[in-house]
Amino acid sequence: MTDQKATNVFWHHGDVEREHRQAILGQKGATIWFTGLSGSGKSTIAVALEQALYQQGRLSYRLDGDNIRLGINKGLGFSAEDREENIRRIGEVAKLFSDCGVIVLSSFISPYRADRDRVRGLHEADGLPFIEVYVQTSLATAEERDPKGLYKKARAGEIKNFTGIDDPYEEPTQPEIVLDTEALSLEQEVEKLLQALESKGILAA
Amino acid sequence: MTDQKATNVFWHHGDVEREHRQAILGQKGATIWFTGLSGSGKSTIAVALEQALYQQGRLSYRLDGDNIRLGINKGLGFSAEDREENIRRIGEVAKLFSDCGVIVLSSFISPYRADRDRVRGLHEADGLPFIEVYVQTSLATAEERDPKGLYKKARAGEIKNFTGIDDPYEEPTQPEIVLDTEALSLEQEVEKLLQALESKGILAA
């Protein structure tokens, strides 16, 4: 009986591929890569987009310091080598989620162009959409917001190699989307992102 | 107009949590951790289970050498330290997928009990189901199957520290499931796994 019952399970053969997962989800996987200064609003926008996608029944997943730093990137420090490896691993995790069919919302400062371009390359080589979103704010505004008090510490010399203070932020040269957070409301930003996902065909399988 | 439209998007506030993703998927996230000798049948069973889950409309994702070794674990070698880090990272990735609501099928030899127990701990500390599946085969049978010709190379001394030959395989002491691949058919194995997922409430949100 068990055999008979189980046999039906294998009526259709073949591996489960990316398109099968997309069909289950009714969407395509994609990585939305937010980059910008500390205090630019990356996480706030990612949280709002996640909420908007959820209300449409879309499966998204946020990668941020909370679930990455003490997890997959545990043990990495702030040397140039470790910073590069930090972004590399996040990129690899994002790629796996994209391949699974999930809309990944990655929000890390990711200040170096070469690191971001490598993550883009990983995705594009595998036919996965990579949407670089430059969350744009002047340093003055970011420093004024200073939600975690980090700029203050960096100015006081308590934090070294802080992006924008004593370490460079390399602006994206050809991001898919620029969000000027000094001109747009959070709702306008989310709307712009949803429209981009729609126009790229990600919200359909 | 844009503002008005976007405002509705935020009708419900609050972060998207694990249970919201589960509700979208109609299932719970979980990690099914296959462990066993090379040639025991881990990957074959994972592929068959993936297929069976797909036919039920379930979202699962396989982690195996193909998408891990040259990705997130690129650069890791075979030292004791690197082997431990290899399993640690796979465990962290599995945990993220579980948290996302996906049924993760992880198939790696993962020969050391301490490494597997750490991955279990990571999941259980975060309230995520961890199902250790011991894919049981005698060394003689695994070596006879030798699907990749690796045992032959290990016996010839061309591969060092090969599990079962010159490196130990530590059997699970309390796995959730044991699959005796010399006694069960592939269909019976899949059936047993599906029943376990069902009884643990993973196939409902």
Side-chain angles (χ1 to χ4, degrees), chain A residues 119-203:
Chain A
V119 176
R120 174 188 292 278
L122 279 179
H123 282 74
E124 294 183 349
D126 206 11
L128 292 165
F130 182 79
I131 302 168
E132 188 175 5
V133 180
Y134 178 26
V135 183
Q136 192 175 37
T137 309
S138 68
L139 177 61
T141 300
E143 192 166 354
E144 196 182 300
R145 294 178 188 160
D146 203 9
K148 301 173 194 165
L150 296 174
Y151 285 98
K152 205 176 162 191
K153 287 187 182 173
R155 289 289 184 197
E158 292 165 35
I159 304 176
K160 298 289 181 195
N161 304 316
F162 193 76
T163 299
I165 305 299
D166 52 354
D167 210 67
Y169 176 79
E170 298 175 354
E171 295 196 336
T173 46
Q174 294 189 299
E176 276 70 13
I177 298 174
V178 177
L179 299 177
D180 179 348
T181 67
E182 297 178 64
L184 297 173
S185 71
L186 183 59
E187 297 181 358
Q188 287 170 327
E189 290 160 1
V190 169
E191 192 64 20
K192 199 167 171 179
L193 292 165
L194 288 175
Q195 283 168 4
L197 290 174
E198 184 75 42
S199 74
K200 288 174 191 294
I202 288 163
L203 302 182

Side-chain angles (χ1 to χ4, degrees), chain B residues 48 78 128 151 153 180:
Chain B
F78 292 93
L128 291 165
Y151 284 99
K153 287 186 183 170
D180 179 348

Side-chain angles (χ1 to χ4, degrees), chain A residues 38-73:
Chain A
S38 176
S40 60
K42 298 179 298 300
S43 293
T44 303
I45 297 170
V47 167
L49 177 60
E50 179 185 40
Q51 178 70 15
L53 287 169
Y54 167 65
Q55 286 175 29
Q56 297 187 6
R58 309 296 181 182
L59 185 66
S60 71
Y61 194 65
R62 277 191 296 125
L63 300 178
D64 58 26
D66 289 341
N67 57 16
I68 292 292
R69 200 174 298 125
L70 296 176
I72 190 78
N73 282 347

Side-chain angles (χ1 to χ4, degrees), chain B residues 4 46 204:
Chain B
Q4 183 53 42

Side-chain angles (χ1 to χ4, degrees), chain A residues 9 12 14 51 55 61 99, chain B residues 9 12 14 51 55 61 89 99:
Chain A
V9 169
H12 301 286
Q51 178 70 15
Q55 286 175 29
Y61 194 65
D99 180 47
Chain B
V9 167
H12 301 286
Q51 177 70 15
Q55 288 176 27
Y61 194 66
R89 287 191 206 165
D99 181 47

Side-chain angles (χ1 to χ4, degrees), chain B residues 7-23:
Chain B
T7 302
N8 298 330
V9 167
F10 297 102
W11 189 255
H12 301 286
H13 287 280
D15 277 10
V16 177
E17 307 282 358
R18 187 184 296 163
E19 61 262 34
H20 297 111
R21 293 187 289 271
Q22 293 176 348

